[in-house]
């Protein structure tokens, strides 16, 4: 998985609780992304980062926030989890100028009861 | 609005045959298109990238075509093997190094 780890790998939580997912990379890539994957919808971009402290919204950002204080770490926070946020979350990285491809982490399966 | 459609959710083929997957898009003018493979419980893995000025790209038993007039890409797996069974995703570039993904086609190769 190209030097990308995600933690936790599985999490079950209750509606209304805060949840933070972590993505860690050892590739020194500038861009990092958070996606969610749901049946029938494919991968949808939640937020992305183009450098330390530089982040922007994706197409499904409502209810999510992110932070990137170091090149290697990108955090996704659900401030108050809802059942509609039950999904598999993938982190990805890319480095502009190195083939324009994205490398994905192993995913986090989140269940909100 | 922008839309990406992959021909079908599932494709079942016999070992040794060619699998052909379709990716159609509307309201995009991508500079390139990518194909990824995803196995159950794992993240997608990059396979091929084809640029708008390229008609065809090959990698081992994989072939991708890109027709910007038809707004379509075809992905072929020749001499398919059971190990090729997976979900295949197409992705189009958006601005600022972002990608938009199709929902994927699950290929099952029968021995």
């Amino acid at each position: 998985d190209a030097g990308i780890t995600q933690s936790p790998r599985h999490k079950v939580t209750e509606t209304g609780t805060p949840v933070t997912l972590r993505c860690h990379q050892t590739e020194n890539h500038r861009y990092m992304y958070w996606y969610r994957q749901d049946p029938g919808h494919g991968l949808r971009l939640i937020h992305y980062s183009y450098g330390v402290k530089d982040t922007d919204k994706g197409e499904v950002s409502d209810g999510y926030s992110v932070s990137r204080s170091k090149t290697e770490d990108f955090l996704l926070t659900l401030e108050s989890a809802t059942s509609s946020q039950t999904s598999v979350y993938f982190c990805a990285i890319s480095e502009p100028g190195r083939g324009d491809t994205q490398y994905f982490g192993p995913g986090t399966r989140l269940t909100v009861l | 609005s922008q839309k990406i459609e992959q021909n079908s959710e599932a494709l079942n083929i016999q070992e040794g045959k060619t699998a052909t997957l379709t990716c159609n898009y509307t309201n995009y003018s991508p500079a390139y298109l990518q194909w990824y493979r995803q196995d159950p419980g794992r993240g997608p893995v990059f396979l091929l990238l084809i640029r708008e000025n390229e008609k065809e790209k090959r990698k081992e038993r994989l072939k991708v075509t890109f027709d910007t007039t038809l707004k379509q890409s075809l992905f072929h797996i020749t001499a398919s093997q059971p190990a090729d069974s997976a979900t295949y995703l197409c992705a189009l570039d958006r601005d600022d190094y972002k990608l938009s993904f199709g929902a994927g086609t699950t290929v099952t190769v029968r021995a």
Side-chain angles (χ1 to χ4, degrees), chain A residues 53-113:
Chain A
K53 292 186 168 49
D54 291 323
T55 65
D56 206 349
K57 295 178 180 180
E59 58 191 296
V60 290
S61 59
D62 287 348
Y64 302 95
S65 62
V66 291
S67 65
R68 191 169 178 199
S69 59
K70 297 186 291 185
T71 298
E72 58 265 35
D73 290 324
F74 193 32
L75 303 181
L76 176 71
T77 297
L78 291 64
E79 302 289 348
S80 178
T82 67
S83 58
S84 65
Q85 293 176 312
T86 293
S87 186
V88 180
Y89 292 85
F90 287 100
C91 173
I93 64 174
S94 73
E95 182 59 35
R98 291 190 198 175
D100 299 317
T101 60
Q102 292 187 10
Y103 301 93
F104 286 80
T108 294
R109 182 172 294 276
L110 176 66
T111 302
V112 183
L113 301 175

Side-chain angles (χ1 to χ4, degrees), chain A residues 31 33 37 48 100-102, chain B residues 34 36 38 46 49 96-97:
Chain A
Y31 278 66
Y33 311 81
Q37 188 173 40
Y48 68 104
D100 299 317
T101 60
Q102 292 187 10
Chain B
Q34 302 182 24
Y36 289 76
Q38 187 174 21
F46 169 76
L49 180 152
D96 200 21
Y97 303 104

Side-chain angles (χ1 to χ4, degrees), chain B residues 27-94:
Chain B
N27 298 321
Y28 275 104
S29 295
Y32 57 81
L33 185 148
Q34 302 182 24
W35 285 88
Y36 289 76
R37 169 183 173 139
Q38 187 174 21
D39 292 289
R42 306 197 68 170
V45 174
F46 169 76
L47 294 175
L48 282 166
L49 180 152
I50 186 165
R51 300 193 182 276
E52 60 178 337
N53 60 346
E54 297 175 317
K55 296 294 185 187
E56 183 178 298
K57 204 89 170 271
R58 291 175 185 262
K59 179 182 176 182
E60 298 174 352
R61 294 182 295 106
L62 307 179
K63 185 179 85 171
V64 172
T65 62
F66 192 12
D67 189 325
T68 56
T69 301
L70 291 178
K71 294 186 182 293
Q72 180 182 80
S73 175
L74 298 179
F75 178 83
H76 305 273
I77 308 171
T78 59
S80 60
Q81 305 168 359
D84 295 325
S85 298
T87 297
Y88 293 87
L89 310 172
C90 71
L92 278 69
D93 78 299
R94 294 160 52 188

